[in-house]
Amino acid sequence: MRRAVAVRLSALLAAGALTAATGVALSTTTASAAAGGVTGYATQNGGTTGGAGGQTVRATTGTAIHQALCSRASSSTPITIQVEGTINHGNTAKVSGSSCNTAAGVIELKQISNVTIVGVGNGAVFDQLGIHIRESRNIIIQNVTVRNVKKSGSPTSNGGDAIGMESGVRNVWVDHVTLEASGGESEGYDGLFDMKDNTQYVTLSYSVLRNSGRGGLIGSSESDTSNGYVTFHHNLYENIDSRAPLLRGGIAHMYNNHYKRLNESGINSRAGARAKVDNNYFEDSKDVLGTFYTDAAGYWQVSGNVFDNVTWSSRSGDHNPAGPNPTSNTSVSIPYGFTLDGANCVPNVVAQTAGANKGLKVSDGSCTPQSPDPTDPGPTDPGEPTDPGPTDPPAGTNLSLGAGADGSSKASGTSYGNVVDGNTGTYWSPSGSTGSVSVKWGSTTTVSKVNIRLASGSGTIGAYRLLNHDTGAVLASGSGAGTVSFSPASLKKITLEITNASGTPRIAEFETYAS
């Protein structure tokens, strides 16, 4: 065994929690969706918030899930669907409507956006029934089990994929799920987690994939290389023959995963793909990294991994394992912040956090599982004044005074310029619960600290990121308002991106300081 080296990068890993609504199936509440805690590539391209800010409904059948989608005002109206019980072919029918495009025998998330599906109560099991995401964006799937989905035999669903994505899909976060089969292709099963036909900005976190011939793929053929920007972290792959995952083209980031009993091959980077493989624990497995079953080479950057009882085949023809001493043959730049647990503790921390019905526990970056907040605070009534509390400005000159400002869509009656005017009585608000506002200068300016002041009556910022708008780099992330420091950055524009909120935030001042 080689001892892994723990690497630390600054980031915040937080998790929101969803409170189960009372009442019968499809009774509606005004509880907000908790999307705080999204990590990896799903934070890019505008972020992934799912149904945050919309209504929450309860569903105990697949038909009720489809009905919830079809009852929305439009195909993009945010909604959180809390699922409890067993979803199967017998209770999953097609439902028609202008805001949906569903089918029987599969949970169909097709041509829609802004949806969260989360298991609650005693848990949600999709039994022999897959989840299909097609031509959709901003989707969250959390705390559910999907098992024994078949492509042949009876019954069949979703082409045999537990979760499948295709055709221009963008921004999907799958978290704390259990995906499992009972064999390989000869037994009628296909992939557990497949992405193809231009699917991008996906994160799979704190999940279990097991007992399958195929873990999953990114790209359906050597010519399907428009997929990518996928993060896999704190997942357990157990008793998988191959494809953990198979990556054709694009970029994937694998960190702090536990790979146990990969029977034939593991991470298969091919057709020009690039994989960044950090601080993972590979155990009792074979050929866990390389280019397999093709002469179209892929690439990898490796760091801090542990190889415990891993065997490596000799290189020959189209079989090119990276071992027995894997070294990097490319470099991959990651645009988001992340914190690495030491590889030696990965089996323990993944065992305590990964999969459905684990209480949405996450790692704190120090190999210690942490529970999310116990309740969803719900929306703040905009008509009820709130006291954001005193915010003492940092010492020095507020560089925002006299600077410019812009951002995403703003609420009626507010202005971007109100965040740089020095007046806490004026403010900018996004058009919904999430959005972004920027401070910009005509020449490069060095910033290492910001102070966010909220106006009276503001909603609460559940999660935010500070971005170097010039490069897209994440300078800091967190929740709430106040002062935050980070390594000095020279830039012309800095952006506050609110990715989760309770109520509508009112940003009175976006102050910036050199130190």
Side-chain angles (χ1 to χ4, degrees):
M1 179 191 303
R2 285 192 291 276
R3 185 175 182 83
V5 179
V7 180
R8 291 302 177 94
L9 295 177
S10 174
L12 173 69
L13 287 179
L18 291 171
T19 304
T22 59
V24 298
L26 290 178
S27 63
T28 62
T29 76
T30 56
S32 64
V38 61
T39 51
Y41 272 114
T43 66
Q44 305 298 290
N45 191 43
T48 305
T49 57
Q55 286 187 317
T56 297
V57 305
R58 177 69 71 91
T60 58
T61 67
T63 304
I65 294 173
H66 284 161
Q67 185 63 54
L69 296 172
C70 297
S71 297
R72 296 181 298 163
S74 73
S75 61
S76 62
T77 301
I79 190 170
T80 292
I81 304 172
Q82 297 179 333
V83 182
E84 184 174 15
T86 299
I87 310 302
N88 55 36
H89 283 75
N91 63 31
T92 303
K94 174 182 175 65
V95 177
S96 299
S98 60
S99 61
C100 64
N101 188 347
T102 72
V106 61
I107 296 302
E108 190 81 317
L109 308 180
K110 184 177 180 181
Q111 298 167 343
I112 62 174
S113 60
N114 309 326
V115 173
T116 294
I117 293 177
V118 58
V120 298
N122 293 319
V125 175
F126 294 77
D127 185 29
Q128 302 184 78
L129 197 81
I131 299 175
H132 185 208
I133 306 171
R134 181 182 177 93
E135 300 174 70
S136 296
R137 62 174 54 234
N138 194 24
I139 306 294
I140 295 174
I141 300 172
Q142 191 173 52
N143 199 40
V144 303
T145 294
V146 186
R147 67 189 184 196
N148 293 333
V149 180
K150 286 190 171 185
K151 69 175 182 179
S152 63
S154 180
T156 60
S157 177
N158 195 29
D161 296 335
I163 296 179
M165 290 161 270
E166 62 180 306
S167 300
V169 171
R170 292 290 186 275
N171 290 88
V172 176
W173 179 35
V174 179
D175 176 67
H176 284 92
V177 304
T178 297
L179 308 178
E180 55 191 6
S182 296
E185 188 174 20
S186 61
E187 288 78 30
Y189 304 99
D190 196 9
L192 295 177
F193 195 70
D194 279 12
M195 290 156 277
K196 56 189 178 182
D197 192 15
N198 195 24
T199 293
Q200 298 180 356
Y201 301 105
V202 176
T203 295
L204 175 67
S205 56
Y206 296 101
S207 294
V208 172
L209 298 87
R210 63 187 173 205
N211 301 335
S212 177
R214 297 169 172 174
L217 59 77
I218 306 172
S220 60
S221 68
E222 306 295 71
S223 61
D224 184 17
T225 57
S226 61
N227 309 277
Y229 307 116
V230 183
T231 301
F232 303 83
H233 74 87
H234 292 92
N235 303 300
L236 170 64
Y237 284 78
E238 184 176 20
N239 192 27
I240 302 291
D241 289 342
S242 63
R243 300 187 181 182
L246 164 60
L247 174 63
R248 293 174 167 120
I251 293 173
H253 186 197
M254 298 85 168
Y255 71 90
N256 286 151
N257 300 292
H258 184 197
Y259 300 91
K260 187 175 182 179
R261 301 203 331 261
L262 302 182
N263 303 315
E264 298 174 9
S265 61
I267 299 169
N268 185 355
S269 179
R270 52 201 273 188
R274 292 187 295 149
K276 182 169 171 60
V277 185
D278 296 325
N279 285 35
N280 301 281
Y281 196 102
F282 299 92
E283 181 179 6
D284 299 337
S285 297
K286 177 183 178 181
D287 290 342
V288 297
L289 174 65
T291 296
F292 307 107
Y293 321 118
T294 182
D295 57 4
Y299 308 95
W300 44 83
Q301 179 181 352
V302 293
S303 176
N305 301 287
V306 166
F307 302 95
D308 180 3
N309 193 31
V310 170
T311 59
W312 299 92
S313 303
S314 299
R315 296 187 179 186
S316 63
D318 61 1
H319 191 81
N320 290 282
N325 296 298
T327 57
S328 301
N329 57 17
T330 192
S331 61
V332 182
S333 178
I334 300 298
Y336 51 83
F338 60 101
T339 302
L340 292 175
D341 287 309
N344 280 316
C345 76
V346 163
N348 181 58
V349 75
V350 167
Q352 295 183 67
T353 58
N357 306 315
K358 288 291 186 70
L360 301 181
K361 290 183 178 179
V362 298
S363 173
D364 66 351
S366 300
C367 301
T368 304
Q370 301 289 316
S371 296
D373 294 336
T375 59
D376 176 5
T380 299
D381 182 354
E384 180 182 350
T386 58
D387 181 7
T391 304
D392 295 327
T397 302
N398 175 13
L399 304 174
S400 297
L401 297 176
D406 60 25
S408 63
S409 298
K410 58 183 182 291
S412 176
T414 71
S415 170
Y416 305 120
N418 288 341
V419 303
V420 295
D421 63 0
N423 180 3
T424 58
T426 62
Y427 60 87
W428 166 86
S429 281
S431 58
S433 59
T434 62
S436 62
V437 64
S438 303
V439 178
K440 56 186 180 180
W441 298 271
S443 58
T444 300
T445 301
T446 299
V447 179
S448 66
K449 189 175 294 185
V450 305
N451 186 35
I452 303 300
R453 293 174 174 265
L454 299 181
S456 178
S458 174
T460 302
I461 299 175
Y464 71 81
R465 300 188 307 158
L466 284 169
L467 305 176
N468 179 336
H469 195 92
D470 302 353
T471 65
V474 178
L475 303 174
S477 60
S479 61
T483 303
V484 59
S485 300
F486 44 87
S487 298
S490 295
L491 43 77
K492 290 186 177 181
K493 186 174 180 179
I494 184 171
T495 297
L496 170 68
E497 181 181 73
I498 301 169
T499 59
N500 176 243
S502 177
T504 301
R506 297 179 176 182
I507 309 301
E509 292 297 303
F510 183 177
E511 301 174 350
T512 54
Y513 297 86
S515 61

